[in-house]
């Protein structure tokens, strides 16, 4: 486990556990899910429409509690898979799909 609960996905984005400070800063109802803290330009994540500040609450309709669960879930995908993310962005819920290309 890396310090601070940050996890780089290999798909061009990095997530972190949601702290109490983040929950109040982003006006989140709970600390469930993970927050995207970085998206690489030209990456599969950027193509999927993921943005820094997005909260990932589900992957393929499975609720994500924290970065360690996110890590386990994301590692299971292989080239050719499509990952369905449910994210929260500025109070909206959005479904985004990321195609695994590598």
């Amino acid at each position: 486990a890396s310090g601070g609960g940050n996890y780089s996905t290999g798909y061009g984005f990095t997530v972190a556990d949601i702290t109490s400070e983040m929950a109040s800063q982003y006006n989140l109802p709970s600390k469930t899910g993970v927050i995207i803290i970085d998206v690489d330009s030209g990456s599969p994540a950027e193509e999927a429409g993921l943005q820094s500040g997005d909260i990932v609450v589900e992957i393929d309709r499975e609720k994500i509690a924290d970065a360690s669960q996110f890590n386990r879930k994301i590692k299971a995908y292989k080239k050719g898979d499509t990952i369905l993310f449910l994210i929260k962005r500025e109070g909206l819920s959005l479904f985004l799909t990321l195609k695994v290309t590598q």
Side-chain angles (χ1 to χ4, degrees):
S2 60
N6 288 8
Y7 177 68
S8 178
T9 59
Y11 303 120
F13 69 109
T14 306
V15 301
D17 283 320
I18 298 169
T19 63
S20 301
E21 294 78 34
M22 284 179 191
S24 58
Q25 179 188 341
Y26 289 96
N27 198 18
L28 305 174
S30 73
K31 293 192 297 183
T32 304
V34 293
I35 186 164
I36 297 177
I37 55 172
D38 190 45
V39 178
D40 296 340
S41 180
S43 67
E46 187 185 58
E47 285 177 26
L50 296 170
Q51 295 178 11
S52 190
D54 287 349
I55 309 297
V56 179
V57 288
E58 290 181 8
I59 297 178
D60 284 330
R61 304 198 184 271
E62 183 183 315
K63 287 204 183 322
I64 299 299
D66 55 28
S68 64
Q69 184 190 1
F70 174 91
N71 182 359
R72 283 194 304 276
K73 183 86 177 154
I74 209 90
K75 275 185 172 167
Y77 293 97
K78 298 171 186 61
K79 182 173 178 163
D81 288 346
T82 300
I83 310 172
L84 179 69
F85 293 94
L86 174 60
I87 61 154
K88 292 209 178 298
R89 179 186 298 161
E90 295 167 4
L92 300 173
S93 292
L94 304 170
F95 281 106
L96 298 175
T97 54
L98 186 153
K99 185 96 170 122
V100 179
T101 55
Q102 53 209 2

PDB file of all heavy atoms in Angstrom, residues 9-35:
ATOM      1  N   THR A   9      -3.530   4.180 -11.670  1.00  0.00           N
ATOM      2  CA  THR A   9      -4.285   3.070 -12.256  1.00  0.00           C
ATOM      3  C   THR A   9      -3.616   2.359 -13.416  1.00  0.00           C
ATOM      4  O   THR A   9      -3.979   1.241 -13.730  1.00  0.00           O
ATOM      5  CB  THR A   9      -5.626   3.589 -12.792  1.00  0.00           C
ATOM      6  OG1 THR A   9      -5.340   4.597 -13.772  1.00  0.00           O
ATOM      7  CG2 THR A   9      -6.473   4.170 -11.686  1.00  0.00           C
ATOM      8  N   GLY A  10      -2.688   3.015 -14.097  1.00  0.00           N
ATOM      9  CA  GLY A  10      -2.184   2.446 -15.339  1.00  0.00           C
ATOM     10  C   GLY A  10      -3.040   2.852 -16.534  1.00  0.00           C
ATOM     11  O   GLY A  10      -2.704   2.553 -17.669  1.00  0.00           O
ATOM     12  N   TYR A  11      -4.151   3.534 -16.301  1.00  0.00           N
ATOM     13  CA  TYR A  11      -5.010   4.026 -17.388  1.00  0.00           C
ATOM     14  C   TYR A  11      -4.912   5.542 -17.510  1.00  0.00           C
ATOM     15  O   TYR A  11      -5.737   6.179 -18.149  1.00  0.00           O
ATOM     16  CB  TYR A  11      -6.460   3.612 -17.175  1.00  0.00           C
ATOM     17  CG  TYR A  11      -6.624   2.112 -17.040  1.00  0.00           C
ATOM     18  CD1 TYR A  11      -7.156   1.555 -15.882  1.00  0.00           C
ATOM     19  CD2 TYR A  11      -6.222   1.260 -18.069  1.00  0.00           C
ATOM     20  CE1 TYR A  11      -7.290   0.185 -15.758  1.00  0.00           C
ATOM     21  CE2 TYR A  11      -6.348  -0.109 -17.946  1.00  0.00           C
ATOM     22  CZ  TYR A  11      -6.890  -0.645 -16.788  1.00  0.00           C
ATOM     23  OH  TYR A  11      -7.005  -2.014 -16.664  1.00  0.00           O
ATOM     24  N   GLY A  12      -3.912   6.115 -16.859  1.00  0.00           N
ATOM     25  CA  GLY A  12      -3.690   7.550 -17.001  1.00  0.00           C
ATOM     26  C   GLY A  12      -4.403   8.406 -15.978  1.00  0.00           C
ATOM     27  O   GLY A  12      -4.582   9.586 -16.191  1.00  0.00           O
ATOM     28  N   PHE A  13      -4.819   7.806 -14.870  1.00  0.00           N
ATOM     29  CA  PHE A  13      -5.362   8.640 -13.803  1.00  0.00           C
ATOM     30  C   PHE A  13      -5.004   8.078 -12.438  1.00  0.00           C
ATOM     31  O   PHE A  13      -4.694   6.912 -12.298  1.00  0.00           O
ATOM     32  CB  PHE A  13      -6.875   8.855 -13.939  1.00  0.00           C
ATOM     33  CG  PHE A  13      -7.755   7.646 -13.694  1.00  0.00           C
ATOM     34  CD1 PHE A  13      -8.546   7.568 -12.557  1.00  0.00           C
ATOM     35  CD2 PHE A  13      -7.829   6.614 -14.622  1.00  0.00           C
ATOM     36  CE1 PHE A  13      -9.378   6.472 -12.353  1.00  0.00           C
ATOM     37  CE2 PHE A  13      -8.662   5.529 -14.425  1.00  0.00           C
ATOM     38  CZ  PHE A  13      -9.438   5.454 -13.275  1.00  0.00           C
ATOM     39  N   THR A  14      -4.985   8.971 -11.465  1.00  0.00           N
ATOM     40  CA  THR A  14      -4.618   8.633 -10.094  1.00  0.00           C
ATOM     41  C   THR A  14      -5.790   8.966  -9.184  1.00  0.00           C
ATOM     42  O   THR A  14      -6.422  10.011  -9.333  1.00  0.00           O
ATOM     43  CB  THR A  14      -3.370   9.450  -9.664  1.00  0.00           C
ATOM     44  OG1 THR A  14      -2.336   9.230 -10.619  1.00  0.00           O
ATOM     45  CG2 THR A  14      -2.886   9.038  -8.282  1.00  0.00           C
ATOM     46  N   VAL A  15      -6.081   8.059  -8.260  1.00  0.00           N
ATOM     47  CA  VAL A  15      -7.172   8.283  -7.313  1.00  0.00           C
ATOM     48  C   VAL A  15      -6.624   8.308  -5.888  1.00  0.00           C
ATOM     49  O   VAL A  15      -5.516   7.841  -5.635  1.00  0.00           O
ATOM     50  CB  VAL A  15      -8.272   7.199  -7.414  1.00  0.00           C
ATOM     51  CG1 VAL A  15      -8.875   7.152  -8.808  1.00  0.00           C
ATOM     52  CG2 VAL A  15      -7.751   5.833  -6.988  1.00  0.00           C
ATOM     53  N   ALA A  16      -7.417   8.833  -4.979  1.00  0.00           N
ATOM     54  CA  ALA A  16      -7.052   8.870  -3.565  1.00  0.00           C
ATOM     55  C   ALA A  16      -8.294   8.620  -2.725  1.00  0.00           C
ATOM     56  O   ALA A  16      -9.425   8.855  -3.173  1.00  0.00           O
ATOM     57  CB  ALA A  16      -6.446  10.218  -3.200  1.00  0.00           C
ATOM     58  N   ASP A  17      -8.063   8.134  -1.511  1.00  0.00           N
ATOM     59  CA  ASP A  17      -9.164   8.037  -0.558  1.00  0.00           C
ATOM     60  C   ASP A  17      -9.703   9.434  -0.277  1.00  0.00           C
ATOM     61  O   ASP A  17      -8.962  10.425  -0.330  1.00  0.00           O
ATOM     62  CB  ASP A  17      -8.688   7.410   0.764  1.00  0.00           C
ATOM     63  CG  ASP A  17      -8.516   5.902   0.655  1.00  0.00           C
ATOM     64  OD1 ASP A  17      -9.366   5.251   0.008  1.00  0.00           O
ATOM     65  OD2 ASP A  17      -7.546   5.381   1.213  1.00  0.00           O
ATOM     66  N   ILE A  18     -10.984   9.507   0.024  1.00  0.00           N
ATOM     67  CA  ILE A  18     -11.623  10.783   0.331  1.00  0.00           C
ATOM     68  C   ILE A  18     -11.481  11.049   1.830  1.00  0.00           C
ATOM     69  O   ILE A  18     -11.954  10.268   2.644  1.00  0.00           O
ATOM     70  CB  ILE A  18     -13.107  10.761  -0.085  1.00  0.00           C
ATOM     71  CG1 ILE A  18     -13.212  10.561  -1.600  1.00  0.00           C
ATOM     72  CG2 ILE A  18     -13.803  12.049   0.346  1.00  0.00           C
ATOM     73  CD1 ILE A  18     -14.613  10.267  -2.086  1.00  0.00           C
ATOM     74  N   THR A  19     -10.792  12.117   2.156  1.00  0.00           N
ATOM     75  CA  THR A  19     -10.615  12.489   3.561  1.00  0.00           C
ATOM     76  C   THR A  19     -11.806  13.331   4.019  1.00  0.00           C
ATOM     77  O   THR A  19     -12.592  13.823   3.193  1.00  0.00           O
ATOM     78  CB  THR A  19      -9.336  13.317   3.743  1.00  0.00           C
ATOM     79  OG1 THR A  19      -9.476  14.530   2.991  1.00  0.00           O
ATOM     80  CG2 THR A  19      -8.105  12.558   3.256  1.00  0.00           C
ATOM     81  N   SER A  20     -11.905  13.548   5.321  1.00  0.00           N
ATOM     82  CA  SER A  20     -12.965  14.415   5.854  1.00  0.00           C
ATOM     83  C   SER A  20     -12.863  15.823   5.278  1.00  0.00           C
ATOM     84  O   SER A  20     -13.869  16.457   4.970  1.00  0.00           O
ATOM     85  CB  SER A  20     -12.886  14.475   7.382  1.00  0.00           C
ATOM     86  OG  SER A  20     -13.024  13.191   7.914  1.00  0.00           O
ATOM     87  N   GLU A  21     -11.616  16.304   5.116  1.00  0.00           N
ATOM     88  CA  GLU A  21     -11.405  17.649   4.559  1.00  0.00           C
ATOM     89  C   GLU A  21     -11.929  17.724   3.131  1.00  0.00           C
ATOM     90  O   GLU A  21     -12.605  18.675   2.753  1.00  0.00           O
ATOM     91  CB  GLU A  21      -9.907  18.014   4.566  1.00  0.00           C
ATOM     92  CG  GLU A  21      -9.288  18.165   5.943  1.00  0.00           C
ATOM     93  CD  GLU A  21      -8.969  16.822   6.608  1.00  0.00           C
ATOM     94  OE1 GLU A  21      -8.601  15.866   5.894  1.00  0.00           O
ATOM     95  OE2 GLU A  21      -9.107  16.741   7.835  1.00  0.00           O
ATOM     96  N   MET A  22     -11.602  16.692   2.318  1.00  0.00           N
ATOM     97  CA  MET A  22     -12.090  16.663   0.931  1.00  0.00           C
ATOM     98  C   MET A  22     -13.608  16.609   0.894  1.00  0.00           C
ATOM     99  O   MET A  22     -14.235  17.275   0.081  1.00  0.00           O
ATOM    100  CB  MET A  22     -11.538  15.439   0.198  1.00  0.00           C
ATOM    101  CG  MET A  22     -10.105  15.538  -0.207  1.00  0.00           C
ATOM    102  SD  MET A  22      -9.652  13.985  -1.013  1.00  0.00           S
ATOM    103  CE  MET A  22      -7.886  14.169  -1.122  1.00  0.00           C
ATOM    104  N   ALA A  23     -14.196  15.798   1.768  1.00  0.00           N
ATOM    105  CA  ALA A  23     -15.654  15.649   1.785  1.00  0.00           C
ATOM    106  C   ALA A  23     -16.322  17.000   2.014  1.00  0.00           C
ATOM    107  O   ALA A  23     -17.310  17.327   1.355  1.00  0.00           O
ATOM    108  CB  ALA A  23     -16.073  14.648   2.850  1.00  0.00           C
ATOM    109  N   SER A  24     -15.767  17.803   2.932  1.00  0.00           N
ATOM    110  CA  SER A  24     -16.371  19.116   3.164  1.00  0.00           C
ATOM    111  C   SER A  24     -16.016  20.097   2.051  1.00  0.00           C
ATOM    112  O   SER A  24     -16.857  20.880   1.626  1.00  0.00           O
ATOM    113  CB  SER A  24     -15.960  19.670   4.533  1.00  0.00           C
ATOM    114  OG  SER A  24     -14.575  19.756   4.634  1.00  0.00           O
ATOM    115  N   GLN A  25     -14.780  20.002   1.516  1.00  0.00           N
ATOM    116  CA  GLN A  25     -14.360  20.902   0.427  1.00  0.00           C
ATOM    117  C   GLN A  25     -15.224  20.710  -0.814  1.00  0.00           C
ATOM    118  O   GLN A  25     -15.626  21.662  -1.469  1.00  0.00           O
ATOM    119  CB  GLN A  25     -12.887  20.644   0.083  1.00  0.00           C
ATOM    120  CG  GLN A  25     -12.362  21.522  -1.048  1.00  0.00           C
ATOM    121  CD  GLN A  25     -10.956  21.107  -1.496  1.00  0.00           C
ATOM    122  OE1 GLN A  25     -10.237  20.428  -0.779  1.00  0.00           O
ATOM    123  NE2 GLN A  25     -10.589  21.514  -2.696  1.00  0.00           N
ATOM    124  N   TYR A  26     -15.503  19.445  -1.150  1.00  0.00           N
ATOM    125  CA  TYR A  26     -16.288  19.146  -2.350  1.00  0.00           C
ATOM    126  C   TYR A  26     -17.779  18.986  -2.043  1.00  0.00           C
ATOM    127  O   TYR A  26     -18.553  18.600  -2.895  1.00  0.00           O
ATOM    128  CB  TYR A  26     -15.757  17.877  -3.033  1.00  0.00           C
ATOM    129  CG  TYR A  26     -14.416  18.066  -3.702  1.00  0.00           C
ATOM    130  CD1 TYR A  26     -13.244  17.731  -3.044  1.00  0.00           C
ATOM    131  CD2 TYR A  26     -14.320  18.580  -4.995  1.00  0.00           C
ATOM    132  CE1 TYR A  26     -11.996  17.902  -3.653  1.00  0.00           C
ATOM    133  CE2 TYR A  26     -13.091  18.757  -5.612  1.00  0.00           C
ATOM    134  CZ  TYR A  26     -11.935  18.414  -4.933  1.00  0.00           C
ATOM    135  OH  TYR A  26     -10.722  18.585  -5.540  1.00  0.00           O
ATOM    136  N   ASN A  27     -18.149  19.239  -0.786  1.00  0.00           N
ATOM    137  CA  ASN A  27     -19.554  19.157  -0.365  1.00  0.00           C
ATOM    138  C   ASN A  27     -20.126  17.760  -0.635  1.00  0.00           C
ATOM    139  O   ASN A  27     -21.203  17.617  -1.217  1.00  0.00           O
ATOM    140  CB  ASN A  27     -20.378  20.237  -1.077  1.00  0.00           C
ATOM    141  CG  ASN A  27     -21.700  20.489  -0.368  1.00  0.00           C
ATOM    142  OD1 ASN A  27     -21.870  20.125   0.787  1.00  0.00           O
ATOM    143  ND2 ASN A  27     -22.633  21.092  -1.070  1.00  0.00           N
ATOM    144  N   LEU A  28     -19.396  16.740  -0.230  1.00  0.00           N
ATOM    145  CA  LEU A  28     -19.822  15.361  -0.459  1.00  0.00           C
ATOM    146  C   LEU A  28     -20.648  14.861   0.708  1.00  0.00           C
ATOM    147  O   LEU A  28     -20.344  15.156   1.860  1.00  0.00           O
ATOM    148  CB  LEU A  28     -18.589  14.450  -0.622  1.00  0.00           C
ATOM    149  CG  LEU A  28     -17.598  14.871  -1.699  1.00  0.00           C
ATOM    150  CD1 LEU A  28     -16.370  13.985  -1.645  1.00  0.00           C
ATOM    151  CD2 LEU A  28     -18.244  14.793  -3.062  1.00  0.00           C
ATOM    152  N   PRO A  29     -21.685  14.077   0.403  1.00  0.00           N
ATOM    153  CA  PRO A  29     -22.537  13.558   1.473  1.00  0.00           C
ATOM    154  C   PRO A  29     -21.831  12.515   2.340  1.00  0.00           C
ATOM    155  O   PRO A  29     -22.166  12.332   3.497  1.00  0.00           O
ATOM    156  CB  PRO A  29     -23.722  12.933   0.738  1.00  0.00           C
ATOM    157  CG  PRO A  29     -23.216  12.670  -0.641  1.00  0.00           C
ATOM    158  CD  PRO A  29     -22.168  13.699  -0.921  1.00  0.00           C
ATOM    159  N   SER A  30     -20.823  11.835   1.770  1.00  0.00           N
ATOM    160  CA  SER A  30     -20.115  10.820   2.534  1.00  0.00           C
ATOM    161  C   SER A  30     -18.699  10.681   2.009  1.00  0.00           C
ATOM    162  O   SER A  30     -18.340  11.301   1.009  1.00  0.00           O
ATOM    163  CB  SER A  30     -20.827   9.469   2.424  1.00  0.00           C
ATOM    164  OG  SER A  30     -20.622   8.927   1.137  1.00  0.00           O
ATOM    165  N   LYS A  31     -17.911   9.854   2.682  1.00  0.00           N
ATOM    166  CA  LYS A  31     -16.533   9.638   2.243  1.00  0.00           C
ATOM    167  C   LYS A  31     -16.424   8.350   1.430  1.00  0.00           C
ATOM    168  O   LYS A  31     -15.340   7.819   1.233  1.00  0.00           O
ATOM    169  CB  LYS A  31     -15.596   9.572   3.450  1.00  0.00           C
ATOM    170  CG  LYS A  31     -15.491  10.894   4.187  1.00  0.00           C
ATOM    171  CD  LYS A  31     -14.356  10.904   5.190  1.00  0.00           C
ATOM    172  CE  LYS A  31     -14.563   9.875   6.271  1.00  0.00           C
ATOM    173  NZ  LYS A  31     -13.513   9.903   7.304  1.00  0.00           N
ATOM    174  N   THR A  32     -17.558   7.853   0.938  1.00  0.00           N
ATOM    175  CA  THR A  32     -17.553   6.636   0.134  1.00  0.00           C
ATOM    176  C   THR A  32     -17.077   6.948  -1.279  1.00  0.00           C
ATOM    177  O   THR A  32     -17.467   7.961  -1.852  1.00  0.00           O
ATOM    178  CB  THR A  32     -18.967   6.027   0.074  1.00  0.00           C
ATOM    179  OG1 THR A  32     -19.412   5.813   1.405  1.00  0.00           O
ATOM    180  CG2 THR A  32     -18.966   4.698  -0.656  1.00  0.00           C
ATOM    181  N   GLY A  33     -16.247   6.051  -1.823  1.00  0.00           N
ATOM    182  CA  GLY A  33     -15.722   6.246  -3.168  1.00  0.00           C
ATOM    183  C   GLY A  33     -14.282   6.713  -3.110  1.00  0.00           C
ATOM    184  O   GLY A  33     -13.662   6.742  -2.049  1.00  0.00           O
ATOM    185  N   VAL A  34     -13.754   7.057  -4.275  1.00  0.00           N
ATOM    186  CA  VAL A  34     -12.396   7.601  -4.372  1.00  0.00           C
ATOM    187  C   VAL A  34     -12.454   8.846  -5.237  1.00  0.00           C
ATOM    188  O   VAL A  34     -13.340   8.988  -6.074  1.00  0.00           O
ATOM    189  CB  VAL A  34     -11.403   6.574  -4.977  1.00  0.00           C
ATOM    190  CG1 VAL A  34     -11.209   5.391  -4.046  1.00  0.00           C
ATOM    191  CG2 VAL A  34     -11.824   6.115  -6.361  1.00  0.00           C
ATOM    192  N   ILE A  35     -11.506   9.734  -5.019  1.00  0.00           N
ATOM    193  CA  ILE A  35     -11.467  10.974  -5.795  1.00  0.00           C
ATOM    194  C   ILE A  35     -10.324  10.897  -6.802  1.00  0.00           C
ATOM    195  O   ILE A  35      -9.237  10.411  -6.486  1.00  0.00           O
ATOM    196  CB  ILE A  35     -11.330  12.210  -4.879  1.00  0.00           C
ATOM    197  CG1 ILE A  35     -11.447  13.497  -5.699  1.00  0.00           C
ATOM    198  CG2 ILE A  35     -10.040  12.185  -4.058  1.00  0.00           C
ATOM    199  CD1 ILE A  35     -11.718  14.733  -4.870  1.00  0.00           C
TER     200      ILE A  35
END
